[in-house]
Amino acid sequence: MHGWEAYFVRAGHRVHLLTWLMPGVPSVAEEPGVKVHYLPGAALFSKPRLGLLRSLWAGMHVRFLVRRYRIDLLHAHQAIPYGFWASLSGAHPMVLTAWGSDIFTEPYTSRRAMRYVRHALAHADLLTADSEHLRRAALDLGCRAPSTVVQLGVDTAAFAPGRREQARQALSLPQDTPIVLSPRALSPVYNIDVVIDSLPLVLKRGPSTCY
């Protein structure tokens, strides 16, 4: 989230961040120029059976913040839960950014989750996603808003690739050897088994491949 926050702060905008996590969590520590709001009563509504009640309460709180601070643009990250909360607030314009599991897996865990995700997508004024595959999956779930792909990137001012030859030398790799890298986490949702199963095919075509 910090990349989004910092960009709009540098552009001269007032930025507010709402989270249902508890105060003091390092991942949502306040940054200069960002006002963090913690959902009141988050501990009270943390039980699974109170999920709908929590969503209604969160939607009301989002609406309250939008009116109190005269928010010009509401940006919800993940269709569920934040996208659903934003859709319940009735605030517009609303941008919804899909992140992956909120579209690919969460809607299929229960009928209620599917309704929540569809409701969020139906009320978005703009959809962004970090891949074309994810964007199309959101459209298949009923999103009719304009949509665009925003790729995650690297700040080349801070991280710039050096010479390929030097990098390979530092890692003791041959200069002309193909390299296969999968940076995803070891979790079933990322289909690491497919990557592993494909290695024999890769090695058959390039026996010297490093992985």
Side-chain angles (χ1 to χ4, degrees):
M1 286 298 301
H2 296 323
W4 273 268
E5 297 166 2
Y7 174 86
F8 287 106
V9 169
R10 289 196 301 268
H13 299 287
R14 293 181 297 111
V15 179
H16 294 260
L17 172 66
L18 172 67
T19 176
W20 79 293
L21 298 177
M22 297 297 138
V25 177
S27 62
V28 294
E30 291 192 35
E31 293 186 355
V34 178
K35 174 62 177 177
V36 178
H37 304 272
Y38 297 94
L39 181 65
L44 177 64
F45 298 124
S46 61
K47 298 180 180 180
R49 292 185 178 182
L50 297 178
L52 179 58
L53 182 59
R54 182 182 64 209
S55 294
L56 295 174
W57 171 244
M60 292 174 58
H61 193 66
V62 172
R63 186 179 183 87
F64 163 75
L65 294 176
V66 168
R67 291 186 172 185
R68 177 178 179 180
Y69 293 100
R70 299 181 181 179
I71 303 297
D72 298 302
L73 176 66
L74 180 61
H75 189 173
H77 287 263
Q78 295 188 328
I80 183 173
Y82 292 101
F84 182 55
W85 297 353
S87 66
L88 292 177
S89 74
H92 292 281
M94 169 189 157
V95 178
L96 175 59
T97 292
W99 277 99
S101 60
D102 55 330
I103 299 297
F104 289 135
T105 60
E106 286 292 335
Y108 303 98
T109 59
S110 68
R111 292 182 179 180
R112 175 179 291 183
M114 178 64 78
R115 290 197 298 269
Y116 288 1
V117 171
R118 288 185 181 275
H119 191 277
L121 292 171
H123 287 76
D125 298 297
L126 174 67
L127 170 75
T128 71
D130 64 0
S131 72
E132 179 62 21
H133 181 47
L134 179 57
R135 186 187 74 87
R136 289 186 176 276
L139 296 181
D140 290 341
L141 287 177
C143 182
R144 295 295 177 264
S147 58
T148 185
V149 174
V150 179
Q151 293 283 356
L152 301 179
V154 174
D155 184 355
T156 55
F159 303 97
R163 296 184 59 185
R164 171 179 171 178
E165 296 80 6
Q166 293 177 343
R168 285 174 174 259
Q169 184 177 3
L171 296 173
S172 301
L173 295 173
Q175 295 296 328
D176 57 351
T177 297
I179 300 174
V180 175
L181 172 66
S182 176
R184 303 316 300 259
L186 298 179
S187 177
V189 71
Y190 296 120
N191 297 322
I192 302 301
D193 59 316
V194 177
V195 177
I196 296 174
D197 290 342
S198 69
L199 289 177
L201 299 176
V202 174
L203 293 174
K204 184 177 181 180
R205 299 186 61 177
S208 64
T209 300
C210 293
Y211 56 90

